[in-house]
Amino acid sequence: MKKLFIIATLLFSITSYAQTEISLDNSLSGSLNQGKSGNIIGVNFTGNNSFDFGKYIGLDLGTNYNIQYTPELSQNELIQKANLGYNKEHWDLFTTYQYNYSLVREIQADNWLGIGGGIKEKFNWGKASLSYAFLYQNTDYMVNSTTNKLRHSIRGKIKIEKKTFGLSTEYYYQPNIKDFNDCIIYGTTKLTLFPGKPLNFIIQDQMNFRSTSEVKMINNLTFGIAYKFVKKIVK
């Protein structure tokens, strides 16, 4: 209850700004393939939702949930991120929290907490950004013992948006500070058709690599629809 009270107080305080802009970008996609034991059915939900409070304060929430049946449940993978940032035109500072769950890798709860900063720029063709964060990682496994690690996190993002199509790619490189052979690389590349419309068609490729895991690579190519919504609230 105490944690819920703190979160509620934080949300109330930041929403008290004179102007709030809400931007929602969510997609649902799927795949159907033929495997040795029958059909392989995959479903993915991706959410990138942001809330800007005034000129400089922003809260970004990200969700990536993937399930797959072959025909039994073979993948149940969840990544949830929350970034609270101070944003300027060409740079930002932020605190970040991330939660991961993985059936394939037998991860019960993978919690990340960090601080960082980045640079960003707009061009004729779109936007690009680069950021760095220092992370603490606590991982509880379903079978193995708990681990605690410190990681670097380098993120690169490029977004191109035209009338008929949009292309965005975002990838993270996260090596262990003590051992660069222990690294995590994950990201998403998404092609959107007619991005200016509220509903559009997407093709999405997601990659998740962990060098120390028995299942090193998880990769999914899916097709589906996306929904966008932007709303400004002025008090």
Side-chain angles (χ1 to χ4, degrees):
M1 288 298 292
K2 185 176 180 181
K3 289 183 179 179
L4 291 175
F5 176 76
I6 293 172
I7 294 172
T9 303
L10 175 62
L11 291 175
F12 176 78
S13 62
I14 58 181
T15 54
S16 62
Y17 279 82
Q19 178 173 297
T20 301
E21 181 171 309
I22 301 172
S23 177
L24 308 179
D25 186 355
N26 298 285
S27 62
L28 183 66
S29 56
S31 62
L32 177 62
N33 300 295
Q34 185 67 36
K36 292 181 179 179
S37 58
N39 291 330
I40 302 173
I41 301 171
V43 178
N44 175 266
F45 172 79
T46 302
N48 293 292
N49 302 308
S50 62
F51 304 84
D52 294 328
F53 308 102
K55 290 184 178 180
Y56 306 120
I57 306 299
L59 176 65
D60 297 322
L61 304 176
T63 299
N64 193 319
Y65 181 53
N66 187 76
I67 56 174
Q68 189 177 92
Y69 293 90
T70 61
E72 70 280 355
L73 181 64
S74 57
Q75 288 187 21
N76 187 7
E77 316 299 307
L78 173 65
I79 299 174
Q80 288 187 308
K81 295 181 289 185
N83 285 2
L84 181 62
Y86 177 78
N87 301 308
K88 299 289 281 186
E89 184 178 359
H90 298 292
W91 58 271
D92 58 62
L93 300 172
F94 58 85
T95 61
T96 182
Y97 170 75
Q98 180 171 318
Y99 168 82
N100 306 307
Y101 172 88
S102 175
L103 175 66
V104 172
R105 293 172 172 147
E106 298 183 331
I107 296 174
Q108 184 65 47
D110 189 22
N111 293 284
W112 305 57
L113 187 64
I115 57 172
I119 54 175
K120 51 191 175 181
E121 191 59 70
K122 293 181 180 180
F123 301 94
N124 301 357
W125 46 265
K127 303 175 184 178
S129 62
L130 182 68
S131 65
Y132 169 84
F134 177 77
L135 301 174
Y136 166 73
Q137 178 190 18
N138 173 269
T139 309
D140 291 325
Y141 292 92
M142 299 175 187
V143 179
N144 299 326
S145 57
T146 300
T147 62
N148 295 282
K149 298 178 181 179
L150 296 175
R151 292 188 180 275
H152 301 289
S153 179
I154 300 170
R155 180 197 68 104
K157 183 176 182 180
I158 294 175
K159 186 173 183 179
I160 302 169
E161 194 164 290
K162 304 296 182 181
K163 281 188 176 181
T164 56
F165 76 94
L167 180 66
S168 65
T169 182
E170 181 180 32
Y171 278 87
Y172 293 80
Y173 171 59
Q174 299 170 322
N176 186 331
I177 287 178
K178 294 183 179 180
D179 180 9
F180 273 59
N181 291 320
D182 172 9
C183 71
I184 296 171
I185 304 172
Y186 73 94
T188 301
T189 298
K190 181 169 68 174
L191 175 65
T192 306
L193 300 182
F194 304 104
K197 298 184 178 299
L199 279 174
N200 38 63
F201 177 75
I202 63 164
I203 303 171
Q204 189 166 247
D205 179 72
Q206 296 176 325
M207 186 268 282
N208 191 321
F209 172 81
R210 292 198 179 205
S211 63
T212 60
S213 173
E214 289 187 13
V215 181
K216 288 182 168 52
M217 176 68 76
I218 300 174
N219 186 250
N220 293 290
L221 178 64
T222 56
F223 305 82
I225 57 173
Y227 171 72
K228 289 184 178 180
F229 171 82
V230 178
K231 176 70 174 179
K232 285 186 178 181
I233 302 172
V234 181
K235 298 180 180 180

